[in-house]
C-alpha cells in the first residue's frame, strides 16, 4: 500500500461534498500544501474557503496553469466542457482525475476534448461513497474511510499518473479496486443506479396515491431505509441515468423479470416458491452484511 | 393520553423480539407484576427467562387460566391454532391482543375460532417497529419509543378491552393510531410489504447474476440501506405476503406501472420527464424525513 503522496497544488473543480471531503482528508493528514477551488457558484466556493477546505478561489484557466493535480468533482454532465476549457492550460506532468459515478462517458469525453498527447495524464476514478447531503458543509475528512474507490485507467493512461491518484485515495482511508470502464458501468448500474431507480419509482408511486398522507403516516423504519437514497439530488441522478442508460436499462430488464416471477409466485399463493426466493435474498444479504463491513 | 395501565398477570405467547420488548418496557416502568411466557421452543423460553423478560414458563392452557392480558407475539400464521387452544380456558375479563403485521386475517381467525361471546375481548393491534434481529436476545425496552401502534378494533370489540391495550403500548412509549383492518392492510401493503418485496426481488436478482461476487464487492452504503429489509426472516415474510396477498398484489401492479413509465422515460432519454419523476420522489422523501422523526 502506497500512501506517501504529497501534492503541492491541488485544484478541485466543484469543492462540494465529494471534493471537499478529499480536501478535508488530505489536509488532516498533511498530504497537500495548497488547495485551489474552482466552480460556478461563488457562495458555495466562499463557504468552502470559510470551512478551510480550499485556500483560494481562481478561474479554471489560472488554476490549471498552477496545478500538480486536478480533481473534477462537479456533476458528471459537465466533464466535456470543463476538460475542453482546461486543456490549453494543462502542464505536461499535471495529473487530472475525476470522481464521476459513470466512467465510459468520462473516457469518451477525454478522447473527444483532449489532444491525444494529454490522454496519458487522465485517470478516471469513482469513489463509492456519498450521502444525501450535498455541498461543502457536508464534507468530512472521514467520508472515504474504509470505502472503495474504483480506478478505470485506459490503455492510454500513464502509470506515473495512476500512482499518485491511488495514493491520494489511500490517504483518504479508501481501498483501491481496478477494472475497465465498461465493467465499472455495468456493475454500478446493478448495485447503485438500479437501487436508486427502484427506490425513486416506489417513493413516487406512494406519494402519488390518493391516500398518500395516511400511508406516509404509518411508514416505519423499513420504509425509511428503503427510500433513503430516493432523497438524492434529481439533477445528479438524471445525469447518472442518462450517462449509463444502456447498462441501466439492461439491468432493469433483468430486475423486471425477477419481479414478475416473484409476483406470479404470490398470485399463485405458491408458499414454497415464495419462501425459496425470500430465503435466497435473506441469506445473500446477511452474507454481504457480514463480509462488507457495511452493516 | 392514558398510561396508567397496571397488569397483574401478562401472558406472552412467543416472547421474542416483539413480545420480549413489550415485557422489557413494562417491567422497566413497573406496569406489570408477573409475565408468563408460552412458546414452542424451550431454549428460547429459557433464554427469555434468563434475561428477565419473563418470570415463568407455562403451557398455554394453564397460562390462559391465570391471565389478565394475553399478547400473541408468535408468527401471524399460528394465530388460529393458538386462539382455538386458548379459548376454552379464557376468563371473561381477560383481554387478548396481538402484534401481527396483517389484521384482516387475524380478525377472520378470531371469528372462526372463538365463540361470539369472546369476540369483545380481542383487540387486534400492530406495532410498527421491528428489526432484522430476532429472538429474546434482541428485545429492548426502547424498541417502541416514538413508534406507532395501529389498533383495528372491530364492531364487536369492547371499549373496556381497547383501553388497557392502548395504555400498554403508550407505556412502551408508542403513539396509537386507529383504523379498520382493511385500511390497515392496504396501507401496510404499500409502506411495508411492497418495500420488502422489491428489496428481496432486487437482492435475489443481484445474487443470481453470474458476476455476483464482483457486484457485491463494489456495493456501497446506498445498496446497504436499500437491501437491509431483505435480510428479514423468510418464514415471517412469506406468511405476511400470503396473509395480505390481494392488497400486496394490487400495490405491486401500481408499482409496476410506475416502473414501466420511468423505464420508458429512460429508454427515450427523456431528460425532463426523468428529472420530474426523480424530483418528485426526492421532495416527497425529504418532506417525509423531516416530518416523521425517522430520518
Amino acid at each position: 500500500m502506497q500512501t506517501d503522496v504529497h501534492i503541492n497544488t491541488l485544484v478541485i473543480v466543484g469543492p462540494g461534498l465529494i471534493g471537499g471531503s478529499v480536501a478535508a482528508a488530505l489536509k488532516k493528514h498533511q498530504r497537500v500544501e495548497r488547495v485551489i477551488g474552482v466552480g460556478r457558484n461563488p457562495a458555495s466556493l466562499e463557504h468552502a474557503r470559510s470551512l478551510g477546505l480550499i485556500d483560494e478561489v481562481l478561474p479554471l484557466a489560472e488554476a490549471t496553469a498552477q496545478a500538480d493535480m486536478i480533481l473534477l468533482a462537479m456533476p458528471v454532465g459537465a466533464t466535456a466542457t470543463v476538460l475542453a476549457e482546461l486543456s490549453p492550460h494543462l502542464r505536461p506532468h499535471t495529473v487530472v482525475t475525476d470522481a464521476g459515478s459513470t466512467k465510459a462517458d468520462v473516457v469518451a469525453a477525454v478522447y473527444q476534448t483532449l489532444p491525444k498527447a494529454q490522454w496519458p495524464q487522465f485517470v478516471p476514478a469513482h469513489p463509492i461513497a456519498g450521502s444525501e447531503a450535498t455541498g461543502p458543509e457536508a464534507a468530512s475528512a472521514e467520508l472515504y474511510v474504509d470505502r472503495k474507490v474504483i480506478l478505470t485507467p485506459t490503455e492510454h493512461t500513464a502509470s506515473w499518473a495512476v500512482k499518485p491518484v491511488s495514493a491520494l485515495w489511500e490517504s483518504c482511508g479508501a481501498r483501491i479496486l481496478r477494472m475497465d470502464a465498461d465493467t465499472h458501468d455495468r456493475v454500478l448500474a446493478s448495485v447503485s443506479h438500479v437501487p436508486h431507480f427502484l427506490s425513486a419509482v416506489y417513493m413516487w408511486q406512494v406519494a402519488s396515491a390518493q391516500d398518500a398522507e395516511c400511508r406516509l403516516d404509518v411508514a416505519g423504519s423499513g420504509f425509511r431505509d428503503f427510500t433513503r437514497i430516493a432523497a438524492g439530488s434529481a439533477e445528479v441522478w438524471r445525469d447518472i441515468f442518462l450517462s449509463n442508460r444502456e447498462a441501466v436499462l439492461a439491468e432493469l430488464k433483468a430486475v423486471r423479470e425477477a419481479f414478475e416471477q416473484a409476483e406470479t409466485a404470490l398470485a399463485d399463493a405458491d408458499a414454497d416458491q415464495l419462501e425459496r426466493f425470500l430465503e435466497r435474498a435473506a441469506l445473500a444479504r446477511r452474507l454481504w452484511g457480514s463480509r462488507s463491513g457495511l452493516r
Side-chain angles (χ1 to χ4, degrees), chain A residues 62-235:
Chain A
E62 280 175 60
T64 300
Q66 300 175 36
D68 296 299
M69 189 182 292
I70 301 174
L71 170 64
L72 308 183
M74 68 292 161
V76 75
T79 306
T81 310
V82 170
L83 285 175
E85 199 179 328
L86 68 77
S87 174
H89 310 281
L90 191 63
R91 297 186 299 176
H93 288 287
T94 302
V95 174
V96 186
T97 186
D98 80 315
S101 301
T102 49
K103 294 273 69 76
D105 64 321
V106 167
V107 170
V110 167
Y111 293 161
Q112 279 158 25
T113 55
L114 297 185
K116 192 164 182 178
Q118 290 177 343
W119 293 357
Q121 295 170 251
F122 193 91
V123 183
H126 176 203
I128 313 286
S131 159
E132 296 72 57
T134 54
E137 60 277 18
S140 154
E142 315 305 322
L143 184 65
Y144 303 111
V145 173
D146 294 331
R147 298 307 171 89
K148 285 156 191 161
V149 175
I150 302 176
L151 305 187
T152 66
T154 71
E155 53 180 328
H156 301 288
T157 310
S159 62
W160 63 260
V162 174
K163 277 182 194 162
V165 174
S166 280
L168 174 145
W169 288 110
E170 286 174 346
S171 294
C172 295
R175 183 158 78 80
I176 304 295
L177 297 174
R178 284 174 72 145
M179 56 185 74
D180 64 71
D182 287 340
T183 302
H184 169 278
D185 286 1
R186 185 167 45 77
V187 165
L188 267 289
S190 170
V191 299
S192 171
H193 310 165
V194 163
H196 192 98
F197 188 94
L198 293 175
S199 182
V201 159
Y202 167 75
M203 190 68 223
W204 176 42
Q205 186 262 333
V206 171
S208 305
Q210 267 198 320
D211 58 348
E213 286 281 327
C214 175
R215 296 181 186 214
L216 293 172
D217 199 36
V218 303
S221 58
F223 177 93
R224 173 196 62 194
D225 293 343
F226 183 76
T227 58
R228 184 175 284 124
I229 47 179
S233 157
E235 187 191 357

